[in-house]
Structures are given as structure tokens and as C-alpha cells.
Amino acid sequence: MNSLFGPADGVDGPDGPPICSGKGCRLPAVWVLVWNNPKVHTPDRRKTWLACEDHREHLSQFLGVRGFLKETVPLADWSE
């Protein structure tokens, strides 16, 4: 069974390891930014962005100032 981050057995997906959601970034993701836009999503809906160490703060701030950021979790600890 596959998940958002590739096969559930921990093997990388067909394109390799998960990469950062930062514009143009190709670095491996190490963080999951969990968010929700209350104007669009139901309260229990959760969306995710992936972040490398370099883009974690920028992406978190982008979501945070809009009130969208719910939590930041290390990718290694993330479970859907």
C-alpha cells in the first residue's frame, strides 16, 4: 500500500526519497508541516507540506501568519 510519501514499507517512492515543498528545492525532506485552511477545509482535514532543514522556517512562517499551521513533525516520526 502506498502513502503520500511512497510505499508504506518505508522504501523510497518511484522518484526517490520525499523532497522539500519549497519552490525549486530538490533537497530531501526532513519535516512535515501539517496545515489546514479553515475557509476551504473541514476542521478535521489535514494537508501536508514537506520541508528540508533550510526551508522549514520559511514555509512554517508562510503557513503560520495565515493561521493555517497546525503542527510540525519530523518526517521520521510522521504517520498519516
Side-chain angles (χ1 to χ4, degrees), residues 4-74:
L4 175 66
F5 306 110
D9 61 6
V11 177
D12 292 338
D15 297 324
I19 61 164
C20 179
S21 298
K23 186 175 181 179
C25 187
R26 303 302 299 164
L27 293 174
V30 293
W31 296 99
V32 179
L33 307 176
V34 183
W35 62 279
N36 173 292
N37 179 344
K39 292 182 180 179
V40 177
H41 305 116
T42 59
D44 60 328
R45 174 84 187 267
R46 293 294 182 261
K47 304 281 284 180
T48 56
W49 281 356
L50 302 177
C52 65
E53 200 62 56
D54 293 343
H55 288 109
R56 176 186 175 200
E57 186 65 28
H58 171 75
L59 294 172
S60 293
Q61 286 180 356
F62 180 89
L63 294 168
V65 298
R66 290 160 178 79
F68 296 173
L69 186 63
K70 300 301 179 192
E71 65 179 316
T72 302
V73 180

